[in-house]
Amino acid sequence: MAGTPLLNNWPRSRRVASRALAPLLFAIVVFLACLIGIHTRPVGFLATVWPANAVMLGLLIRMPSAGRLPKWIAGGIAFMAADLLTGSSLVKALILNGANLAGIAAAYGVYMRSPAAQTGLRQPASMLYLLLAAAAGGAVAGVVGGVANPMLFNGSALRGWVFWCATEFANYAAVLPVILAAPDQLRWRQRLQDSKSLRAADIPPVAVLLLSFMVAAWIGGPGAIAFPVPALLWCALVYPVFPTAALTLLFGVWTLGFISAGYVPAHPDDEMMLVSWRLGISLIAVTPIMLACVMQSRNDLLAKLHHLATHDPLTGMLNRKAFCEDAEKSLAGTRQPCAILMFDLDHFKTVNDTFGHATGDKVLVAFAERVRACLRAQDLFGRLGGEEFAALVFDCTKAQAVALADRIRSATREPVILDDGKSLVITTSIGIAMDDPADGRPVGVDGLLARADTMLYRAKSAGRDRSDV
Ligand SMILES: Nc1nc2c(ncn2[C@@H]2O[C@H](COP(=O)(O)OP(=O)(O)OP(=O)(O)O)[C@@H](O)[C@H]2O)c(=O)[nH]1
């Protein structure tokens, strides 16, 4: 998923170094996750958090490419090292980590065969597949746990299976969504830039969530566990999946701590009571994440629809309506002189008639890409219809507009290579209209396009492959 395309853009030497380092980093992360689990044990049985299995599973899912076997070996070594270094016997460490790795393998197998492996947490059903994988991981780890329980803890095999199964399931359900939804390196950078413009509307859901934690601690009792749920649902409506999953994990940890601290009547020695709490809390936690997934798929769909409504499907450039709307807004907000350039390919009908409509389409795409490459990122460019395009160039004098038009005309004359290897030379005529706020009342986009159209007509009449201003 996330890591691979990024890696493909790196130079070869860096890619090789990164592949060699990957299992080591993988082992360190899993080892640290094991230590977190081991060191939360003394807090009390209910507060036990064992994130290592979910962390290893999440990393395996996020990095499915080369080096899978080294990562499994690195993970196994990290599990064993954490247990042995913190005082477990070799036999106990082998049995417990055998259960861990078998559970991870089962969960990985189920998840990677589900549609969620392709879509990530961006579809309404994604969390259901994740729960299925968590259940498979729990059930398989439970088998080893069932064998281990009579041997290591003098308990019954069935109770051992149920306890391991529920604990594994709860850990996967809480931790895995955070890892799977975490942004990759590029998105982190984008998010950090976006966070500088944090909107005031982003604060109330998390503030209400923290408040509901406090009210729950104040009132106490079993019902208090559900107090943060409405705030979590609000978070799911407002935030993307990753922050929602992270806040939901916080809810899970807070709730287990809340129970351990005695706010809710519980018997820490009653294993089945613990199983019930863990399953209950993890299943409550599924709801906000699932809602966030639904919102994500809705937002993806809206973005797709918006793109379709504002872009030309052939060239991918703005369509006429979006170009005019964006240009109108930009012109209203600038005091700089701007130029509108209007383009019309010369004798394009002949291209279609001679080479066919598909070749004509290819020529249109090539032309649009060449013009876009001559413009700056902030300039607007769109297809007005047929073989007619327009650009709005900001902070541009008349002389600069003419020079730009000349550059675009020479770029257009570069041969277009056709599928059969033959090449085709096309030309464009360009009409230019200037908009300088210092000259008096701006004429607006429609007025500018009309002026540019007149100039374009003049350029065509004067022999084509030229610009007029
Ligand atoms: N391949 C293709 N052709 C298109 C598309 N949209 C419009 N056209 C064609 O573009 C051609 C425009 O032809 P005309 O308006 O006669 O202009 P021209 O042949 O370029 O001649 P001048 O503009 O006078 O130089 C027509 O043949 C249209 O069918 C398209 O999306 N794809």
Side-chain angles (χ1 to χ4, degrees):
M1 238 161 35
T4 317
L6 195 69
L7 217 61
N8 288 342
N9 293 333
W10 287 359
R12 206 178 113 69
S13 56
R14 205 170 156 195
R15 276 205 313 262
V16 171
S18 142
R19 292 233 161 87
L21 273 178
L24 181 65
L25 289 174
F26 186 87
I28 292 172
V29 174
V30 174
F31 179 75
L32 292 175
C34 289
L35 289 188
I36 292 173
I38 290 166
H39 284 101
T40 55
R41 263 177 210 158
V43 176
F45 225 52
L46 270 170
T48 301
V49 176
W50 183 256
N53 298 5
V55 167
M56 178 160 162
L57 175 60
L59 293 179
L60 287 169
I61 293 171
R62 291 289 303 252
M63 303 169 191
S65 53
R68 210 179 296 159
L69 184 63
K71 282 187 200 127
W72 278 100
I73 295 169
I77 292 172
F79 271 113
M80 288 299 291
D83 266 347
L84 294 176
L85 289 174
T86 52
S88 289
S89 70
L90 181 64
V91 175
K92 187 175 169 185
L94 280 172
I95 294 173
L96 296 184
N97 292 320
N100 286 333
L101 291 173
I104 296 169
Y108 181 79
V110 170
Y111 189 86
M112 293 311 279
R113 277 170 187 77
S114 81
Q118 307 305 324
T119 62
L121 296 185
R122 306 186 79 89
Q123 288 296 317
S126 304
M127 266 310 274
L128 293 179
Y129 293 115
L130 187 144
L131 292 184
L132 197 65
V140 170
V143 171
V144 188
V147 175
N149 204 33
M151 284 166 60
L152 298 176
F153 307 110
N154 287 329
S156 82
L158 182 62
R159 279 190 161 241
W161 183 83
V162 171
F163 189 77
W164 272 71
C165 188
T167 305
E168 286 290 292
F169 177 84
N171 279 314
Y172 284 130
V175 178
L176 201 51
V178 181
I179 298 172
L180 295 187
D184 59 26
Q185 205 180 339
L186 285 177
R187 289 220 192 101
W188 269 118
R189 234 176 272 163
Q190 209 179 329
R191 287 261 168 98
L192 288 176
Q193 277 165 3
D194 291 352
S195 65
K196 285 181 192 140
S197 57
L198 197 74
R199 294 167 306 153
D202 291 336
I203 297 167
V206 73
V208 171
L209 180 66
L210 297 177
L211 189 70
S212 61
F213 284 157
M214 286 187 243
V215 174
W218 179 47
I219 294 180
I225 283 170
F227 287 9
V229 172
L232 276 177
L233 294 178
W234 190 8
C235 292
L237 289 178
V238 176
Y239 306 142
V241 179
F242 174 62
T244 304
L247 289 169
T248 307
L249 176 62
L250 178 70
F251 160 78
V253 174
W254 170 84
T255 312
L256 289 175
F258 183 75
I259 297 168
S260 286
Y263 286 91
V264 174
H267 305 283
D269 297 332
D270 183 345
E271 276 183 5
M272 284 305 125
M273 177 82 94
L274 301 182
V275 165
S276 171
W277 277 121
R278 278 190 185 155
L279 286 178
I281 293 163
S282 53
L283 292 175
I284 290 174
V286 164
T287 318
I289 304 176
M290 202 180 257
L291 179 59
C293 294
V294 172
M295 292 303 291
Q296 182 67 59
S297 87
R298 167 193 171 273
N299 292 342
D300 288 349
L301 199 62
L302 285 178
K304 222 181 263 177
L305 286 174
H306 181 258
H307 191 269
L308 282 175
T310 52
H311 288 77
D312 165 46
L314 178 66
T315 60
M317 304 298 160
L318 291 175
N319 62 21
R320 181 181 196 107
K321 187 168 174 288
F323 175 81
C324 290
E325 282 173 3
D326 288 1
E328 199 72 68
K329 268 188 237 149
S330 304
L331 286 174
T334 183
R335 300 292 306 151
Q336 301 163 344
C338 300
I340 279 220
L341 279 70
M342 202 162 165
F343 312 91
D344 189 294
L345 290 179
D346 299 326
H347 303 303
F348 188 63
K349 188 173 179 316
T350 315
V351 173
N352 271 337
D353 292 348
T354 315
F355 300 96
H357 210 267
T359 300
D361 282 356
K362 197 173 172 193
V363 168
L364 287 172
V365 173
F367 172 71
E369 283 167 358
R370 287 173 191 189
V371 179
R372 187 65 261 185
C374 292
L375 300 171
R376 294 163 302 178
Q378 71 266 31
D379 298 330
L380 293 179
F381 179 59
R383 184 180 181 196
L384 301 183
E387 19 71 278
E388 223 176 67
F389 295 81
L392 172 61
V393 186
F394 299 99
D395 193 11
C396 179
T397 62
K398 193 192 263 191
Q400 287 168 331
V402 172
L404 173 64
D406 288 346
R407 281 203 302 281
I408 290 174
R409 284 195 302 109
S410 5
T412 307
R413 280 195 299 267
E414 289 292 319
V416 178
I417 309 299
L418 303 180
D419 289 338
D420 59 6
K422 288 188 190 139
S423 63
L424 173 64
V425 174
I426 51 160
T427 60
T428 182
S429 299
I430 305 174
I432 305 170
M434 297 303 301
D435 176 73
D436 190 344
D439 289 348
R441 246 184 56 207
V443 290
V445 177
D446 289 340
L448 284 170
L449 282 175
R451 271 196 216 163
D453 198 23
T454 309
M455 295 302 121
L456 178 60
Y457 183 75
R458 264 179 32 185
K460 286 266 179 193
S461 309
R464 296 178 173 78
D465 189 16
R466 49 181 291 143
S467 63
D468 237 302
V469 58

